[in-house]
């Protein structure tokens, strides 16, 4: 049996053949990071000389394609070998520049599908994405600066998802891998192991800042979880009058790690892309959760029992496993496989999983995160000096901003700050401790104001930001815009007669359309219209004055819902009387058609045709009648199996006269036979007379003399 190995393809993914001389095939994968494959091949082999080319492809036993990126050659005496490095075909995304037309400077409430669709379009549909879980909407800023791979990394960071590539199809999940009960246990499948725990990045109190150095100080403490509120309440002055007075959260493990010298291990996040306090709170909560535990890392050299026993579980990237080696302080230690090195074609080499409670990042990952910022900075400098045109652009914009400033700041005696237009002093904006007011008549009236009670304005123009809820009206006579979508007619979104969800799906109890619906499919229970023109209409009810078309296909057609009606379905046509009972049924019978007549559902007659002929029948009588004309029969009529009743002589033209004539003729013949037909004879020896008799008379007398001629007489 040949040794299994990889298939090789050219740059256009046309198959070249099989790598028969390759060895030391190693595959290394890391969550949201490396997907690489390396192997050795003799330089004198046909594999190296004819099959392996830069930007060519190899395919492993999982059906995954890898791009040949480099060939490292080495000599050991006469032995010439090459080390081939390949990475997964997913990394071809780095070869596609994200189009400037699709760049997003800032957008709010974006679904992950909207961003992945942009990447798919940028690659000409080559790469496709499958979203397996539900992700929250996310505000997006500065998306699409760079390659499509950078855009994918941005999506991974924003939506906190994990990638599982399947060649050109990229699967996005909240967490890849499963928990199949895989255990690495001493004396079973652990060959060697190393276990390291680190507390360098431990954080038990996380501070936070957002854009412009702002924090969530002053936010209502009701936004905290019960556990967060309880932990903060243990520190005096953190919550004052129901408001947060600090910009940090405390870990529930803080007491365990606290010491006399260090009560808290502090950390800080600065999120310049966040502008809302609640979003900053969520980010702080997530960052603290990731750093409040000691980092664990286990590297295990395992025995791949699945290579000799198919019932043994096979490790996969992202799987949750349990490590049991008490002597190594691994007492049922449970964590995920964050990195997996495999030798898929070698039975004597075994997998080397790295098990950790965090996704490990190497130097290349950190450098790639800095690449985008570095490019922006490099664009402003040349040979260590700021570029002239960049400096001039900055200076020019600063002068423009200063010259365009036509507002004078005044500090009135009554307090506050008054911003007054220099060219029109009647236009004023005043800031006080009560709020902000805007006037266009020298503060006689206020056109718009913002106070603690709300916002007052004649109209709001432009794009509104991220709101938790917008309510117009009260009770069930209300229109709402919130995280569910838009609803009207009921306070409860789920039963509102009109609602639109975040995906654009609309539910409406009644709707009046005066325009045109193009390239859409309508699925509804009730459509009422004088004219409907569409390629496809689906629904449980269609109401209209007229339906016109070349072909109408459906399960049931009927003239009324109940009572007297006609129905057409796959069984045929059925007519019902006013009581709802079947009266006529037209359908298929054997290989032909049949018509069944019924009286309130009971069969009363049938007409059908088949290969034997045309049949008319009934369990009762069969009546054939012409009211204004005669009933005509043409062709032969066979009464072999028939019994005819009630057919009178008077009903058949000339039949009576013909029979009467026949009777007269028969009577005449009978009389002749009665009187003339000889039926008997007698001979009188004395008179020598032979008499011949009919039934009515003596027909003849013949005298027969003895030895002489005879004389006869007749009557």
């Amino acid at each position: 049996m040949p040794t299994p190995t990889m298939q090789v393809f050219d740059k256009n993914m046309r198959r070249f053949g099989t790598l028969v001389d390759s060895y030391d095939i190693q595959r290394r994968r890391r969550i949201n990071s490396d997907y690489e494959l390396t192997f050795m091949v003799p330089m004198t082999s046909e594999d190296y000389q004819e099959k392996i080319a830069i930007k060519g492809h190899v395919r492993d036993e999982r059906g995954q394609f890898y791009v040949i990126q480099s060939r490292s050659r080495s000599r050991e005496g006469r032995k010439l070998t090459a080390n081939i490095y390949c990475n997964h075909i997913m990394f071809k995304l780095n070869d596609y520049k994200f189009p400037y037309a699709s760049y997003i400077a800032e957008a709010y409430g974006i679904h992950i599908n909207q961003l992945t669709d942009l990447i798919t379009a940028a690659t000409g549909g080559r790469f496709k994405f499958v979203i397996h879980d539900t992700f929250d909407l996310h505000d997006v800023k500065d998306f699409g600066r760079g390659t499509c791979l950078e855009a994918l990394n941005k999506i991974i960071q924003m939506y906190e998802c994990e990638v599982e590539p399947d060649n050109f199809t990229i699967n996005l999940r909240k967490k890849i891998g499963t928990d199949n009960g895989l255990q690495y246990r001493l004396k079973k499948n652990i060959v060697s192991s190393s276990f390291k725990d680190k507390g360098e990045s431990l954080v038990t109190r996380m501070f936070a800042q957002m854009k412009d150095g702002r924090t969530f100080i002053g936010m209502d403490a009701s936004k905290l979880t019960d556990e967060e509120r309880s932990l903060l309440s243990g520190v005096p002055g953190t919550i004052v009058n129901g408001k947060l007075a600090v910009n940090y959260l405390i870990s529930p493990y803080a007491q365990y790690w606290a010491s006399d010298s260090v009560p808290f291990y502090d950390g800080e996040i600065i999120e310049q892309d966040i502008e809302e306090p609640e979003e900053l709170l969520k980010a702080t909560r997530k960052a603290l959760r990731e750093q409040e535990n000691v980092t664990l890392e286990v590297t295990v050299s395992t025995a791949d029992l699945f290579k000799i026993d198919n019932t043994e579980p096979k490790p996969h990237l992202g799987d949750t496993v349990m490590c049991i080696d008490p002597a190594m302080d691994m007492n049922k230690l449970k964590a995920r496989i964050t990195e997996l090195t495999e030798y898929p074609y070698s039975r004597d080499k075994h997998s080397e999983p790295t098990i950790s409670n965090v996704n490990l990042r190497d130097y290349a990952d950190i450098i790639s995160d800095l690449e985008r910022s570095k490019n922006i900075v490099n664009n402003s400098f040349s040979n260590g000096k700021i570029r002239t045109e960049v400096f001039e652009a900055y200076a020019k914009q600063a002068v423009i901003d200063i010259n365009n400033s036509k507002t004078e700041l005044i500090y009135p005696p009554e307090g506050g700050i008054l911003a007054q237009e220099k060219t029109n002093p009647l236009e004023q904006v005043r800031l006080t401790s009560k709020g902000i007011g805007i006037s266009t008549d020298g503060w006689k009236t206020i056109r718009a104001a913002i106070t603690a009670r709300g916002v007052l304005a004649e109209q709001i123009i432009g794009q509104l930001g991220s709101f938790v809820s917008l309510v117009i009206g009260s009770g069930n006579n209300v229109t709402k815009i919130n995280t569910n979508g838009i609803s009207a007619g009921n306070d409860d979104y789920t039963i509102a007669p009109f609602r639109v969800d975040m995906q654009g799906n609309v539910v409406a109890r009644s709707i009046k359309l005066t325009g045109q619906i193009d390239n859409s499919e309508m699925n509804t229970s009730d459509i009422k219209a004088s004219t409907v023109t569409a390629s496809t209409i689906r629904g449980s009810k269609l109401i209209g004055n007229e339906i016109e078309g070349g072909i109408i296909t459906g399960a049931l057609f009927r003239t009324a819902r109940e009572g007297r009606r006609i129905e057409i379905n796959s069984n045929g046509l059925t007519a019902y009387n006013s009581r709802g009972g079947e009266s006529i049924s037209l359908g298929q019978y054997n290989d032909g058609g049949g018509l069944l007549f019924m009286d309130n559902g009971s069969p009363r007659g049938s007409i059908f045709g088949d290969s034997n002929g045309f049949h008319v029948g009934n369990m009762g009588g069969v009546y054939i009648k012409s009211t204004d004309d005669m009933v005509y029969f043409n062709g032969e009529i066979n009464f072999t199996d028939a019994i005819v009743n009630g057919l009178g002589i008077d009903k058949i033209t000339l039949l009576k006269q013909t029979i009467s004539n026949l009777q007269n003729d028969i009577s005449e013949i009978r009389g002749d036979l009665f009187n003339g037909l000889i039926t008997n004879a007698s001979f009188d020896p004395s008179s020598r007379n032979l008499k011949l008799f009919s039934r009515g008379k003596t027909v003849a007398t013949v005298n027969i003399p003895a030895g002489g001629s005879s004389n006869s007489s007749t009557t």
Side-chain angles (χ1 to χ4, degrees):
M1 181 177 179
T3 302
T5 185
M6 295 183 296
Q7 306 292 313
V8 62
F9 299 76
D10 66 5
K11 64 181 180 180
N12 295 315
M13 303 186 74
R14 290 191 295 262
R15 187 176 181 274
F16 262 179
T18 303
L19 296 179
V20 296
D21 296 314
S22 60
Y23 60 96
D24 285 349
I25 302 174
Q26 180 191 87
R27 181 173 59 224
R28 177 174 171 269
R29 294 178 292 154
R30 179 181 294 184
I31 294 178
N32 287 351
S33 183
D34 302 323
Y35 268 73
E36 60 187 31
L37 185 145
T38 60
F39 60 93
M40 303 293 292
V41 63
M43 293 180 62
T44 56
S45 66
E46 181 182 349
D47 285 356
Y48 176 81
Q49 294 178 355
E50 298 183 7
K51 300 177 183 178
I52 297 174
I54 295 295
K55 296 301 181 182
H57 302 80
V58 294
R59 186 174 64 187
D60 64 9
E61 89 289 356
R62 298 168 61 245
Q64 299 299 301
F65 283 92
Y66 291 79
V67 182
I68 300 173
Q69 298 289 15
S70 68
R71 299 177 295 182
S72 301
R73 304 161 183 84
S74 64
R75 173 192 287 273
E76 295 180 7
R78 294 185 177 181
K79 183 180 179 181
L80 304 177
T81 57
N83 183 285
I84 310 300
Y85 168 80
C86 316
N87 60 7
H88 194 273
I89 202 167
M90 171 184 66
F91 290 93
K92 279 192 174 183
L93 283 170
N94 201 43
D95 299 327
Y96 291 91
K97 179 71 174 67
F98 196 86
Y100 181 76
S102 301
Y103 171 78
I104 300 176
E106 188 173 23
Y108 299 97
I110 300 300
H111 194 277
I112 188 172
N113 277 337
Q114 295 176 251
L115 303 183
T116 56
D117 288 347
L118 292 177
I119 297 179
T120 298
T123 62
R126 186 59 166 159
F127 284 89
K128 293 180 172 55
F129 292 83
V130 179
I131 313 300
H132 293 272
D133 297 306
T134 301
F135 294 91
D136 294 335
L137 302 181
H138 203 284
D139 295 342
V140 177
K141 295 182 180 179
D142 194 25
F143 178 82
R145 189 193 298 272
T147 66
C148 289
L149 184 60
E150 291 180 47
L152 175 59
N153 287 333
K154 182 86 170 180
I155 292 174
I156 293 171
Q157 294 172 8
M158 287 191 297
Y159 294 92
E160 301 175 21
C161 53
E162 293 184 355
V163 174
E164 190 172 35
D166 182 10
N167 292 326
F168 291 102
T169 300
I170 299 176
N171 300 281
L172 297 181
R173 292 182 169 89
K174 287 186 176 180
K175 183 178 289 188
I176 65 173
T178 57
D179 187 353
N180 295 321
L182 177 61
Q183 293 184 0
Y184 290 121
R185 184 188 295 268
L186 185 64
K187 297 182 180 180
K188 179 184 178 183
N189 54 0
I190 292 182
V191 178
S192 62
S193 63
S194 64
F195 175 33
K196 178 172 62 176
D197 50 2
K198 297 187 298 182
E200 296 173 348
S201 59
L202 179 67
V203 174
T204 59
R205 183 169 62 179
M206 183 66 73
F207 289 80
Q209 294 184 45
M210 56 182 173
K211 186 177 181 180
D212 299 329
R214 296 183 297 122
T215 67
F216 46 65
I217 293 177
M219 187 176 67
D220 198 309
S222 62
K223 304 295 183 181
L224 300 172
T225 64
D226 293 339
E227 183 182 51
E228 291 169 346
R229 188 183 300 108
S230 175
L231 291 169
L232 286 174
S233 298
V235 180
T238 55
I239 300 177
V240 179
N241 297 326
K243 305 290 184 181
L244 277 172
V246 294
N247 65 322
Y248 61 78
L249 295 178
I250 298 176
S251 167
Y253 305 107
Q255 190 66 30
Y256 176 82
W257 294 109
S259 64
D260 294 338
S261 58
V262 182
F264 296 104
Y265 291 88
D266 290 337
E268 184 178 25
I269 61 169
I270 301 176
E271 297 287 349
Q272 293 292 346
D273 290 338
I274 295 180
E275 299 181 3
E276 299 297 329
E278 289 188 31
E279 294 298 322
L280 180 63
L281 178 63
K282 293 179 182 178
T284 309
R285 185 179 294 145
K286 174 180 177 294
L288 180 60
R289 188 168 58 247
E290 292 176 347
Q291 300 183 51
E292 64 186 0
N293 289 313
V294 171
T295 301
L296 306 177
E297 181 180 342
V298 180
T299 302
V300 182
S301 178
T302 67
D304 287 342
L305 300 181
F306 64 88
K307 291 183 178 179
I308 57 176
D309 185 356
N310 293 332
T311 62
E312 289 290 333
K314 182 179 180 180
H316 297 90
L317 188 65
D319 283 356
T320 300
V321 299
M322 181 180 292
C323 299
I324 302 175
D325 188 351
M328 289 286 291
D329 291 337
M330 292 189 293
N331 297 307
K332 295 184 178 181
L333 175 65
K334 203 165 188 179
R336 297 179 67 202
I337 298 178
T338 57
E339 182 179 334
L340 183 61
T341 301
E342 301 168 284
Y343 302 90
Y345 299 101
S346 301
R347 298 180 68 87
D348 58 336
K349 293 185 178 182
H350 303 281
S351 301
E352 298 175 0
T354 297
I355 303 161
S356 177
N357 59 348
V358 295
N359 289 342
L360 304 177
R361 311 182 74 224
D362 58 15
Y363 181 74
D365 295 326
I366 298 172
I367 292 301
S368 65
D369 287 344
L370 299 176
E371 185 70 19
R372 177 175 164 274
S373 299
K374 183 189 72 175
N375 291 339
I376 295 174
V377 175
N378 287 344
N379 190 47
S380 300
F381 287 84
S382 177
N383 294 328
K385 298 180 180 180
I386 190 168
R387 293 166 51 202
T388 303
E389 61 270 24
V390 175
F391 175 78
E392 289 178 348
Y394 291 159
K396 181 179 180 180
Q397 187 62 44
V399 173
I400 292 174
D401 291 342
I402 294 173
N403 291 336
N404 287 340
S405 177
K406 299 178 181 179
T407 301
E408 180 181 4
L409 294 180
I410 302 173
Y411 297 89
E414 60 271 22
I417 301 175
L418 175 64
Q420 181 175 277
E421 187 72 13
K422 293 179 181 179
T423 57
N424 185 2
L426 296 179
E427 295 183 358
Q428 299 178 359
V429 177
R430 181 168 294 188
L431 171 64
T432 68
S433 60
K434 298 294 185 180
I436 301 174
I438 301 174
S439 175
T440 57
D441 57 3
W443 208 249
K444 293 179 181 179
T445 60
I446 298 177
R447 298 285 299 275
I450 301 175
T451 68
R453 298 180 61 184
V455 178
L456 172 66
E458 298 172 1
Q459 56 182 332
I460 300 176
I461 301 175
Q463 180 176 341
L464 300 180
S466 178
F467 287 90
V468 175
S469 179
L470 179 62
V471 181
I472 303 173
S474 61
N476 288 331
N477 188 20
V478 66
T479 297
K480 286 186 172 183
I481 303 176
N482 52 36
T483 54
N484 292 322
I486 303 174
S487 62
N490 197 290
D491 185 61
D492 187 349
Y493 174 85
T494 59
I495 60 175
F498 174 82
R499 55 187 183 271
V500 183
D501 63 18
M502 291 298 191
Q503 286 71 45
N505 301 311
V506 180
V507 175
R509 177 173 297 173
S510 64
I511 186 170
K512 181 179 180 180
L513 299 177
T514 58
Q516 180 174 331
I517 302 176
D518 295 329
N519 301 324
S520 297
E521 184 173 295
M522 185 177 296
N523 296 279
T524 180
S525 59
D526 196 347
I527 299 177
K528 296 181 179 180
S530 59
T531 302
V532 176
T533 303
S535 60
T536 302
I537 299 177
R538 291 180 182 155
S540 60
K541 184 186 293 184
L542 178 63
I543 299 176
N545 297 332
E546 182 177 345
I547 299 177
E548 181 177 336
I551 298 175
I552 299 177
T553 303
L556 174 64
F557 292 84
R558 62 189 180 190
T559 58
R561 184 182 298 274
E562 57 187 11
R564 185 184 297 275
R565 66 191 186 277
I566 295 176
E567 292 187 356
I568 302 176
N569 55 31
S570 59
N571 294 323
L573 182 147
T574 305
Y576 296 85
N577 58 26
S578 58
R579 297 184 300 276
E582 294 185 19
S583 57
I584 298 176
S585 177
L586 174 62
Q588 298 181 3
Y589 181 82
N590 292 337
D591 295 330
L595 178 62
L596 179 64
F597 298 89
M598 288 164 285
D599 180 11
N600 202 27
S602 299
R604 289 292 181 260
S606 63
I607 300 175
F608 66 92
D610 58 15
S611 58
N612 295 323
F614 184 74
H615 306 262
V616 179
N618 186 22
M619 297 176 63
V622 177
Y623 300 88
I624 302 176
K625 178 182 179 180
S626 175
T627 303
D628 299 325
D629 201 347
M630 293 189 294
V631 177
Y632 298 89
F633 292 92
N634 191 1
E636 295 184 4
I637 300 176
N638 188 343
F639 290 96
T640 301
D641 298 325
I643 298 175
V644 181
N645 295 318
L647 183 62
I649 295 176
D650 296 338
K651 302 296 184 180
I652 302 176
T653 304
L654 299 179
L655 178 60
K656 183 176 182 180
Q657 182 63 40
T658 302
I659 293 175
S660 179
N661 293 338
L662 289 174
Q663 287 178 338
N664 292 334
D665 292 341
I666 292 172
S667 296
E668 185 177 347
I669 293 172
R670 182 180 180 184
D672 293 341
L673 291 175
F674 185 82
N675 293 319
L677 180 64
I678 296 173
T679 61
N680 198 0
S682 66
F683 180 72
D684 185 4
S686 60
S687 62
R688 303 288 298 176
N689 288 331
L690 175 64
K691 292 183 179 181
L692 303 175
F693 301 95
S694 68
R695 295 181 62 184
K697 66 179 182 178
T698 301
V699 177
T701 301
V702 180
N703 183 264
I704 305 173
S709 60
S710 62
N711 294 318
S712 64
S713 63
T714 60
T715 60

